[in-house]
Amino acid sequence: MNSCKGNILISTPDTLGDIFSRSVILIIEHDEGGAFGLILNKMDEIASREITQRLNFHAEVYDGGPIRDQRSFFLIKGDLSKEGYTKVNDHFSFTENMERVVVDIFLKKIRPEDVKIFAGYSVWHAGQLEEELSRNYWKKAKTSIDFAALNSHDLWKDLMTSLGGEHLIWANTPKDTRMN
């Protein structure tokens, strides 16, 4: 099995009509048992307003996927594995521990602008992601983008454009193809 951990997946036009349409997903974990990832480019406006009011500073909350429960997830710029965070790749770490993130921001171990907050997540059972990749529902990409950057609403279009070729057509197609 070739793990996708630390890579991003860009949805192809074959993935239409649901939350995964025009999605860019960072794979946090991927092994024989399945995969876990977060959608990077779908902001949740209501949750963003609520968390901004609670924290007293601007925060954007992203819809990490279709599975919702009471948990929040945090993607943090930097390898913080020595601090107890899960290493995603050489440039980013992950945690579910909101209290830890808030304390580390207060102690200035991490900066608020280096944290991206997610409500919801995406999972694939054993073999499902591999099957979807083989059907070209996703393009796997290694990139140096800043996963924690806010305002990444054009991320899907930017990455499709960077793939070139036939992807340029899809990058410039309206979200609702009936409007084309």
Side-chain angles (χ1 to χ4, degrees):
M1 188 201 84
N2 193 8
S3 177
C4 292
K5 180 179 178 173
N7 289 297
I8 61 168
L9 302 180
I10 307 162
S11 69
T12 64
D14 295 326
T15 313
L16 298 173
D18 64 11
I19 192 169
F20 295 116
S21 176
R22 294 181 179 238
S23 288
V24 177
I25 297 183
L26 173 63
I27 299 299
I28 304 294
E29 292 291 339
H30 184 205
D31 58 27
E32 294 81 19
F36 168 85
L38 299 169
I39 298 174
L40 298 175
N41 63 321
K42 305 265 179 148
M43 190 173 78
D44 182 328
E45 306 251 348
I46 294 168
S48 295
R49 279 194 299 276
E50 290 173 2
I51 198 82
T52 295
Q53 290 172 349
R54 286 180 33 204
L55 297 176
N56 288 325
F57 64 81
H58 176 73
E60 290 183 357
V61 178
Y62 287 77
D63 192 350
I67 301 173
R68 290 282 184 137
D69 53 28
Q70 297 303 311
R71 296 181 290 173
S72 296
F73 302 95
F74 303 87
L75 186 62
I76 303 113
K77 190 185 282 188
D79 178 359
L80 301 171
S81 55
K82 292 180 183 174
E83 303 292 327
Y85 292 87
T86 300
K87 180 179 178 178
V88 176
N89 59 31
D90 291 338
H91 307 287
F92 292 91
S93 300
F94 167 82
T95 189
E96 294 180 46
N97 189 335
M98 182 188 312
E99 194 172 303
R100 175 91 186 249
V101 171
V102 171
V103 168
D104 284 350
I105 288 172
F106 179 76
L107 295 174
K108 300 190 186 314
K109 290 182 178 181
I110 56 178
R111 301 177 315 161
E113 59 268 22
D114 290 340
V115 178
K116 193 164 189 172
I117 306 167
F118 298 88
Y121 56 98
S122 304
V123 294
W124 294 261
H125 61 75
Q128 182 182 1
L129 182 56
E130 292 81 1
E131 176 69 19
E132 289 181 12
L133 285 164
S134 74
R135 292 181 180 214
N136 291 320
Y137 292 161
W138 304 99
K139 291 291 180 188
K140 189 165 107 173
K142 288 194 176 199
T143 180
S144 60
I145 64 166
D146 183 352
F147 301 136
L150 301 178
N151 302 315
S152 55
H153 314 293
D154 291 327
L155 184 58
W156 182 86
K157 181 176 181 174
D158 294 345
L159 289 171
M160 287 298 272
T161 300
S162 73
L163 291 173
E166 68 182 16
H167 302 97
L168 289 172
I169 296 168
W170 294 111
N172 293 304
T173 301
K175 287 181 185 178
D176 184 348
T177 54
R178 295 173 296 178
M179 303 300 287
N180 196 11

